[in-house]
Amino acid sequence: MSPPPTKGSSILIIGGGTWGCSTALHLARRGYQSVKVLDPYEIPSPIAAGNDVNKIMEHKDLKPGITSPKSAAFATFTRAALAGWKTDPVFSPYFHETGFIVAGHTPELVQHIKEGEVDFYEGDYVALNTPEDFRATMPAGVLTGKFPGWKGWISKRGTGWIHARKAMVSAYAEAKRLGVVFITGEEKGRVEGLVFEGGDVVGARTADGVVHRAEYTILAAGAASDGLLDFKKQLRPTAWTLCHIRMTPEEARAYRNLPVLFNIAKGFFMEPDEDKHELKICDEHPGYTNLVPDPKHDGAVTSVPFARHQIPLEAESRARDFLRDTMPHLAERPFSFARICWDADTPDRAFLIDRHPEYSSLIVAVGGSGNGAMQMPAIGGFIVDALEGRLADEVKDVVRWRPEMAVGRDWSSTQGRHGGPERVMDFQHVKDDTWTHIQDVK
């Protein structure tokens, strides 16, 4: 077992995305003097899930009477994150507390929301029962749809959206100012493998052949982490789809400070970003995998992420269906941008933050499971706690290394998500001629 780190210990972070930048910042703030981050792209990485104009910030606290360890741990994470979004000057400029609407369009979906999606105890949720109720949540002319079958709730406290890209760049800039070294680039920053010596991990080798040695290595490369370490099926790289509509400056002003509108089986949208005036829409579904033979295990398959700034035509169709329900006046507008966005699902969708049981100098910090970006202000602190061996027991037990939960894992499990065909899809089944051909408008 490696000894506890000292402030002079050399620490290597693999991955300069949301969690990597947050960890670098928290290490620097705690006084660690030798921290290095490797990433194949300049920050913000174009393939990082957090390189996005906006992500949902949805506050979920622990309901009275709920004893689920996973729920308690997640509440701990989100409370800390919300505090950071509100008070940490590195992050607070990028939190927009505009509110959050969660909805379903069938009785089954509405019941699911009542049972698990909405924190009626800690939130200020108000019911939305009619199309008029939904339209009244935003200025006239924004929501023009008929909302067929929709019912939902709106909360305005501790919820809204974050400008994920700007927050990540802010964390990166502050960490760099405090002395963290970032090495980026296809050759210098791309990690091709961990370096093993004496039964432990002693660093990583980059594409230029350089071995970056460190007393401690933190693997925080998101969906790409699975390609660098055998996670015993604990990670499933899963992708979602997003697209943008270019608005005029006048429209963007009219759509300012809107609550997030999320139908758990159709999709969601957030207000246009302030720079390009693009409105982001996501179709909701259980996700896509890219299943190929697993070189680490004969006869097995694994999901391998790849970058693409287009989406399947079926995803475009779902996004436009969501718009026809909510904002039909925008449903046929051309998309100005689209991409697939990868994350990594654990079997129970709880995070995976722990020392590796075989390699005591290696800390894994992965498994955002669709909830990683909103944790940005505080997640690095929990990761450093894991490095220092002082994660609270109620959190540590939930986010531990747990391959026993992945035995016989069903790669097609929806893991409680809804929408689309109500199943996990596979990019291997998406034909080359059934992708969009959207030109990114500069």
Side-chain angles (χ1 to χ4, degrees):
M1 184 71 177
S2 296
T6 67
K7 302 306 181 185
S9 297
S10 56
I11 300 172
L12 179 67
I13 301 173
I14 301 174
T18 301
W19 285 21
C21 286
S22 179
T23 303
L25 175 61
H26 280 269
L27 283 167
R29 283 178 164 177
R30 292 193 192 183
Y32 286 90
Q33 301 155 13
S34 180
V35 181
K36 183 191 296 182
V37 181
L38 299 175
D39 197 279
Y41 300 99
E42 292 186 9
I43 314 299
S45 164
I47 65 169
N51 186 358
D52 201 350
V53 294
N54 41 35
K55 296 283 190 184
I56 296 172
M57 176 60 208
E58 179 189 2
H59 178 44
K60 289 187 177 181
D61 212 330
L62 189 62
K63 297 180 181 180
I66 299 297
T67 58
S68 161
K70 176 187 168 186
S71 297
F74 191 68
T76 298
F77 285 120
T78 55
R79 277 196 301 267
L82 182 60
W85 287 118
K86 287 189 170 185
T87 64
D88 190 328
V90 170
F91 299 103
S92 58
Y94 311 109
F95 174 42
H96 300 260
E97 196 173 7
T98 57
F100 175 73
I101 299 168
V102 60
H105 61 282
T106 69
E108 294 77 15
L109 291 170
V110 172
Q111 185 61 32
H112 175 77
I113 294 170
K114 286 182 178 179
E115 292 175 354
E117 291 291 326
V118 175
D119 180 358
F120 292 106
Y121 295 93
E122 294 293 332
D124 58 341
Y125 284 92
V126 175
L128 306 173
N129 294 311
T130 67
E132 291 75 18
D133 289 343
F134 281 95
R135 289 193 286 265
T137 63
M138 301 188 192
V142 173
L143 299 179
T144 58
K146 295 182 179 179
F147 292 86
W150 284 51
K151 291 185 182 298
W153 291 265
I154 182 171
S155 172
K156 295 185 178 180
R157 181 165 57 84
T159 61
W161 62 275
I162 58 172
H163 199 300
R165 178 188 302 143
K166 290 183 177 180
M168 183 165 58
V169 171
S170 179
Y172 155 73
E174 180 64 5
K176 189 174 181 180
R177 187 187 72 82
L178 292 174
V180 175
V181 174
F182 287 81
I183 299 177
T184 60
E186 284 287 353
E187 295 293 321
K188 293 183 177 181
R190 181 175 294 281
V191 172
E192 292 197 331
L194 300 175
V195 177
F196 300 87
E197 288 182 7
D200 203 353
V201 171
V202 297
R205 180 182 295 103
T206 46
D208 58 0
V210 174
V211 173
H212 299 265
R213 292 182 173 273
E215 294 170 75
Y216 300 91
T217 300
I218 299 174
L219 180 54
S225 300
D226 194 50
L228 297 172
L229 180 72
D230 185 358
F231 277 90
K232 312 293 185 183
K233 297 186 178 182
Q234 291 177 92
L235 292 187
R236 182 188 70 185
T238 311
W240 285 269
T241 40
L242 65 89
C243 48
H244 293 180
I245 290 175
R246 174 63 62 83
M247 312 289 281
T248 66
E250 293 74 24
E251 287 175 323
R253 285 193 291 271
Y255 283 56
R256 188 66 63 220
N257 297 321
L258 301 183
V260 175
L261 175 59
F262 177 38
N263 181 306
I264 65 170
K266 286 211 167 188
F268 60 89
F269 88 95
M270 284 172 273
E271 67 179 70
D273 77 285
E274 59 191 3
D275 300 316
K276 284 191 172 183
H277 303 144
E278 290 187 342
L279 180 126
K280 171 184 163 184
I281 309 103
C282 292
D283 60 309
E284 186 66 15
H285 51 74
Y288 285 88
T289 55
N290 181 44
L291 295 178
V292 299
D294 186 350
K296 298 188 291 289
H297 300 96
D298 292 339
V301 295
T302 186
S303 180
V304 177
F306 64 94
R308 188 157 185 174
H309 281 199
Q310 301 293 336
I311 58 174
L313 291 175
E314 61 192 13
E316 176 183 6
S317 177
R318 290 190 294 263
R320 294 194 185 281
D321 180 62
F322 168 75
L323 287 172
R324 279 188 282 272
D325 274 10
T326 59
M327 297 179 287
H329 58 288
L330 300 177
E332 304 308 319
R333 282 206 191 179
F335 293 157
S336 56
F337 174 79
R339 76 168 175 128
I340 57 177
C341 180
W342 290 91
D343 203 347
D345 280 329
T346 61
D348 57 358
R349 291 181 63 188
F351 303 149
L352 177 50
I353 302 171
D354 199 3
R355 279 186 185 252
H356 194 281
E358 298 176 31
Y359 313 118
S360 62
S361 295
L362 176 66
I363 293 84
V364 294
V366 293
S369 302
N371 291 304
M374 72 178 185
Q375 308 294 340
M376 196 185 315
I379 194 67
F382 290 102
I383 294 168
V384 179
D385 285 347
L387 169 68
E388 296 175 343
R390 57 192 190 94
L391 264 181
D393 288 343
E394 62 268 22
V395 172
K396 182 179 180 180
D397 290 344
V398 171
V399 302
R400 72 188 188 285
W401 181 267
R402 50 194 189 281
E404 71 280 1
M405 295 192 67
V407 174
R409 185 172 185 183
D410 178 7
W411 293 119
S412 64
S413 170
T414 63
Q415 299 200 249
R417 298 185 178 101
H418 301 275
E422 296 292 339
R423 60 177 172 80
V424 174
M425 298 161 281
D426 188 352
F427 285 126
Q428 291 290 316
H429 300 149
V430 180
K431 297 179 180 178
D432 289 342
D433 61 351
T434 59
W435 290 76
T436 59
H437 293 85
I438 300 164
Q439 299 298 314
D440 188 3
V441 180
K442 302 298 183 182

